[in-house]
Amino acid sequence: MRSAVRRIGARLGMAAWLLAVWVLLWGRVDALIIAGGVVAVVIAYAVSRLPAVPLVNRIRPLRLAEAAAELAWDLLASSVVIGWHALRAPRRVKGAVIEVSARTRSELVLLVVTTSISLRPGTLLVDLDWDRSILRIHIMPVRGRREADAARDGVLRTERRLMRALVTPEDTAEEEERR
């Protein structure tokens, strides 16, 4: 009985996540968008085998608020930087693909990290190696190794904040193994 309730809860969690992404893509909230999102989620479940949301042992609200504030700041700052470069010298803007080795083994944390990165102007997830937890991210503007390293450090900071906010069984087990 308890297993069935957990399974249904995990599926509802994935459905809520998909609905949230749907609303973010539309950029506004109204009854028609919510209804369309519910229909899209039902269709997605009907035609595919979507995974359940991985378990979370504990959510730390203050840490989650800190991660959300960081995302909001990054969205604002990267929008200004990309806008500045687009207006000033769009043909001279250079990009790079960086590789980031994630510490987390939680699919949930990796999903939130990659979503956070892809929402930011100037960054895009190019590839994710689930088995080795390696992210390949296209960043711009970048003028040299120092900026590429700063972008890598920013991704790792985001991951650390999210690992502190979302305590998962995978990361808890790995932490205990290191001790």
Side-chain angles (χ1 to χ4, degrees):
M1 172 75 171
R2 195 171 229 184
S3 167
V5 170
R6 279 186 154 216
R7 196 169 45 251
I8 290 170
R11 297 282 178 205
L12 288 175
M14 178 56 84
W17 175 256
L18 289 172
L19 184 60
V21 170
W22 178 270
V23 170
L24 283 172
L25 288 172
W26 282 99
R28 64 180 199 275
V29 179
D30 63 28
L32 189 58
I33 288 174
I34 297 293
V38 169
V39 169
V41 168
V42 168
I43 290 171
Y45 266 109
V47 299
S48 68
R49 294 181 45 97
L50 292 174
V53 172
L55 297 175
V56 176
N57 286 352
R58 184 174 53 203
I59 296 175
R60 296 180 175 138
L62 291 176
R63 298 288 190 180
L64 192 58
E66 179 185 342
E70 180 220 8
L71 174 62
W73 173 255
D74 283 348
L75 290 174
L76 176 68
S78 60
S79 295
V80 169
V81 168
I82 292 297
W84 172 256
H85 284 285
L87 293 174
R88 197 174 123 234
R91 296 185 195 273
R92 291 191 310 212
V93 176
K94 293 182 181 174
V97 175
I98 60 171
E99 210 172 77
V100 180
S101 295
R103 288 185 0 196
T104 186
R105 296 297 169 237
S106 165
E107 289 182 2
L108 176 66
V109 173
L110 269 178
L111 177 67
V112 177
V113 168
T114 57
T115 302
S116 167
I117 290 164
S118 292
L119 287 173
R120 297 173 189 172
T123 59
L124 178 68
L125 180 71
V126 176
D127 184 41
L128 171 59
D129 183 343
W130 283 103
D131 297 330
R132 298 183 327 178
S133 295
I134 295 178
L135 295 86
R136 288 178 191 84
I137 303 164
H138 182 271
I139 58 168
M140 61 181 268
V142 63
R143 289 181 292 258
R145 184 159 184 92
R146 185 179 304 151
E147 287 181 351
D149 289 341
R152 184 178 296 106
D153 291 342
V155 171
L156 292 173
R157 260 193 322 276
T158 297
E159 180 193 32
R160 274 193 303 276
R161 283 193 177 107
L162 289 167
M163 285 175 71
R164 286 192 307 250
L166 306 170
V167 181
T168 63
E170 296 89 355
D171 289 337
T172 304
E174 186 168 307
E175 187 68 31
E176 288 173 1
E177 286 176 14
R178 276 193 248 148
R179 289 183 191 166

